Amino acid sequence: MIEDTRKGMGLWVLAGLLVLAILGTGVWGAMHLSALGTAPGWYASMDGVQIEPVQPEGAQEGYEYYRLHFVLTNNSDQDVYVAAWNLGVRPVKGYEYAVDVWDPWDESITLEQESCVPVGCIGDVELILEVDPEELDTKTLQITLDPYGETPLELGEVELP
């Protein structure tokens, strides 16, 4: 009877060690997944920034419009779509919506028709900015790659002329 108790106790110890090993692996894995979640998933940069005033067709009265042009290098593992929903331009300080990427809505354009900079490529980006001069506290603008649901990536700053 004493031997049966020792065998039972040994099995309980082994079972306990197995549970601790599983929990330890789970905690270690969760810590590393958490670190991955905070890292930006996009790796891109912009060069050769140019900005100039323009008057596009369909412009609203009371706003100023600028053509923003730069070269985007996409070192991400995903294509970067060059669209208003993917690229953000905001004043460095002041009212957040004083500047926006002006992109008249067209229901006929599908995602496959949007211009993009493919993975590992360099492409020209041209955006039209709509600026509310009454709400603008600074001429310095922050440009970001801001895909929906992802960590935004700051590409750089530009000064309005």
Side-chain angles (χ1 to χ4, degrees):
M1 193 166 205
I2 294 175
E3 288 182 24
D4 290 339
T5 305
R6 287 183 183 166
K7 284 184 182 178
M9 183 71 97
L11 289 174
W12 279 108
V13 169
L14 287 175
L17 290 173
L18 179 63
V19 168
L20 286 175
I22 291 170
L23 288 175
T25 303
V27 169
W28 182 83
M31 287 173 28
H32 282 80
L33 283 176
S34 175
L36 286 174
T38 59
W42 297 92
Y43 302 96
S45 61
M46 72 173 191
D47 296 302
V49 179
Q50 300 171 356
I51 190 163
E52 63 180 346
V54 293
Q55 190 61 34
E57 190 176 314
Q60 294 184 31
E61 193 172 315
Y63 288 91
E64 297 173 355
Y65 294 86
Y66 298 89
R67 176 178 291 119
L68 173 65
H69 180 267
F70 59 91
V71 176
L72 181 75
T73 302
N74 180 11
N75 291 321
S76 307
D77 59 357
Q78 301 175 50
D79 296 340
V80 173
Y81 287 92
V82 181
W85 53 265
N86 212 22
L87 293 165
V89 182
R90 301 285 183 258
V92 170
K93 62 180 182 176
Y95 185 59
E96 181 179 358
Y97 297 104
V99 178
D100 206 356
V101 177
W102 187 67
D103 189 8
W105 180 255
D106 186 351
E107 291 180 4
S108 65
I109 295 179
T110 63
L111 186 62
E112 292 80 22
Q113 294 170 321
E114 292 277 6
S115 60
C116 77
V117 179
V119 173
C121 293
I122 296 171
D124 287 326
V125 174
E126 189 171 289
L127 305 170
I128 301 295
L129 306 181
E130 182 179 68
V131 177
D132 184 350
E134 293 180 8
E135 298 289 343
L136 195 64
D137 290 345
T138 179
K139 290 196 173 252
T140 305
L141 307 179
Q142 177 68 53
I143 302 169
T144 59
L145 173 59
D146 194 6
Y148 183 74
E150 302 276 340
T151 303
L153 174 67
E154 293 182 6
L155 295 174
E157 295 180 354
V158 65
E159 290 283 327
L160 289 175

